[in-house]
Amino acid sequence: MSAVSSIRDYIQTQALRVEHELERSIPQEWSIPAALRESMMYSLMAGGKRLRPILVLASAEALGGRAEDAMPVALAVEMIHTYSLIHDDLPAMDNDDFRRGKPTNHKVYGEAMAILAGDALLTHAFYTIVQAARKQGVSGGTIADIVEDLARLSGAPGMVGGQAADMQGEQGVTKLEELDYIHLHKTSDLIVFSLKAGARIAGATAEQLAALDRFGTCIGLAFQIQDDILDLVGDEQKLGKPVQSDVKQQKVTYPYFIGIEASQAKIEQLTREARDAVTGAGIPYPERLLQLADYLMKRDH
Amino acid sequence: MSAVSSIRDYIQTQALRVEHELERSIPQEWSIPAALRESMMYSLMAGGKRLRPILVLASAEALGGRAEDAMPVALAVEMIHTYSLIHDDLPAMDNDDFRRGKPTNHKVYGEAMAILAGDALLTHAFYTIVQAARKQGVSGGTIADIVEDLARLSGAPGMVGGQAADMQGEQGVTKLEELDYIHLHKTSDLIVFSLKAGARIAGATAEQLAALDRFGTCIGLAFQIQDDILDLVGDEQKLGKPVQSDVKQQKVTYPYFIGIEASQAKIEQLTREARDAVTGAGIPYPERLLQLADYLMKRDH
């Protein structure tokens, strides 16, 4: 079996495990308005690559830890990613009617419920980390470290900051540095969190966390540049969304600044940097992480 | 000095301390888009009673703890309260143009930035608890307990659930029980969190936490019924918002179901229940909490 086909199997297997756990991630005994619960579950179970939770699990395994122990954190990062998509799709933001070929949350449940479902998923991510991680005997100190990382990397100085810069960018990003700020925070920060959190569960050292931080920053930026390219030349069927939406929304992208070829070269350079970061930095089993990085750069959706 | 005037002084003093700390609650060294930081600070510093943070501090003191040690949690609960107001005021929700006599966040910064400022404040509340509480040597286990309480009481089974029920209620709340669900979750849950979190910082026992839970549930519901009454017969100047907005929005209220007199009687009954909960339940210094409860019931804004 080639490395690529085996990584495809790995991704498929882990994605199914994550989805099985996501199904049960909101306690049935909680009394929650039915429409709110439905709206949360609609977007949580709407598919997608499950890239971030898979990175959490793979990172724990790369340090010799067990994927099961990192599962609560994997669910939490998918909740954060899902809330950000629900809010990004709102009419006041990107105003998207479809996501992964399905109507967006607000098209099904209305804007008010979509805003609340996003708020609830964001909040539930923190509940999931603490409550489930504690069950598995993760120390309070490690839980606090993970909560702090998530709050910083998904908050104002992280993902939300990137989204805010992106919104304003529509009024004109003039420098590649500004686009890098958007990509790094909107995309890389949550990938960095995923890798560090999985590693923390497995008892990572400061050196290992720093290596995974650099690895995540590189593949996150490469992933986003690939997104820019796919939006320009991708296959609508595979993407599940119309191409050239960036162009239509007049969003500047990497190809806009440096062209498609240079963008592809940048992706290859970042992939090499990512590889260097985790090889020979005391990461005992980096193979899966490296395969995931390669897979991400070769993806067509 | 009468008890009431002294509690007014206490509230004023504590509110100023909270506001002084709120001013500095978002690290200056963080690189955040200027408009996002401004939008967050605009609502965070827009005044208000600072009731919830004051309850955090008073609860810590009621158990013989130091208010300073509970300050990070006090800031966090105000961030959660503030984000909920920003999102509730959005056009898709209550569509309010003014709050405390000032233009609402989305009227100043636009809907997209208001949504993101709310998301960022929600997220920053968790950062503030962990990062600042840890500085003060609060144990990881206690931090985890507080984060879990906040995520549950402000999330889908708590405040957001109450808000969702309120939204749907506009399509017709037919039973007082449904209105109680809305009031208990939309208002009481965050008050209960404030009391329990302050107490946890001061090392509360399970019995003490249960007593404060009951105290908070009672004063929270009483507070909300008082809100319903003030919306009907209050003074626009003092309230800083137009009265009868509930009537205009066809929101059902306690007076709608049982009339103003019975609503006032219900407030008095809840205040007595609150008093019973914290007297003789092993709360060493309950006076401030009792004065705060009385003050809340006598307020005119």
Side-chain angles (χ1 to χ4, degrees), chain B residues 3-240:
Chain B
V4 169
S5 77
S6 91
I7 191 63
R8 285 227 173 86
D9 297 342
Y10 178 80
I11 289 169
Q12 209 163 36
T13 311
Q14 296 297 59
L16 286 173
R17 290 176 62 192
V18 166
E19 284 174 2
H20 177 69
E21 295 298 324
L22 281 174
E23 286 271 14
R24 310 180 300 167
S25 60
I26 301 170
Q28 281 305 326
E29 65 272 22
W30 278 357
S31 131
I32 302 172
L36 177 61
R37 190 187 280 269
E38 268 178 49
S39 172
M40 292 168 76
M41 291 308 294
Y42 175 79
S43 293
L44 207 49
M45 304 313 296
K49 290 182 267 310
R50 310 303 187 185
L51 164 67
R52 293 154 191 81
I54 289 169
L55 286 172
V56 173
L57 306 178
S59 180
E61 291 175 327
L63 270 79
R66 301 184 324 154
E68 307 86 283
D69 297 339
M71 184 58 80
V73 178
L75 303 179
V77 75
E78 191 67 2
M79 290 171 194
I80 293 289
H81 177 58
T82 302
Y83 112 74
S84 75
L85 299 182
I86 294 173
H87 282 187
D88 289 3
D89 288 337
L90 287 166
M93 309 268 268
D94 291 349
N95 193 23
D96 285 319
D97 293 355
F98 289 92
R99 158 88 54 190
R100 297 165 189 154
K102 292 180 182 173
T104 46
N105 194 292
H106 65 274
K107 298 302 281 184
V108 179
Y109 297 96
E111 280 185 55
M113 197 55 73
I115 292 165
L116 292 172
D119 295 343
L121 284 169
L122 195 180
T123 308
H124 195 53
F126 289 98
Y127 179 87
T128 303
I129 288 175
V130 175
Q131 196 264 359
R134 188 197 276 134
K135 260 195 209 145
Q136 287 158 329
V138 177
S139 79
T142 299
I143 292 174
D145 288 334
I146 293 171
V147 167
E148 183 176 350
D149 278 350
L150 181 57
R152 186 170 43 79
L153 290 165
S154 73
M159 184 186 73
V160 174
Q163 179 62 20
D166 194 16
M167 285 289 146
Q168 296 177 289
E170 285 160 30
Q171 288 112 55
V173 169
T174 57
K175 296 202 222 70
L176 187 59
E177 291 65 33
E178 292 167 25
L179 185 61
D180 278 333
Y181 178 93
I182 293 169
H183 285 353
L184 285 172
H185 291 295
K186 202 176 162 180
T187 306
S188 292
D189 281 349
L190 210 51
I191 287 173
V192 166
F193 167 77
S194 303
L195 293 158
K196 286 179 71 181
R200 284 190 190 279
I201 293 287
T205 64
E207 189 209 12
Q208 290 169 325
L209 290 172
L212 290 165
D213 193 322
R214 200 171 139 233
F215 177 79
T217 304
C218 291
I219 67 169
L221 183 52
F223 179 83
Q224 190 58 56
I225 296 172
Q226 179 74 349
D227 240 36
D228 289 353
I229 294 173
L230 287 173
D231 183 80
L232 215 55
V233 301
D235 176 328
E236 298 204 352
Q237 287 307 316
K238 288 173 176 166
L239 292 171

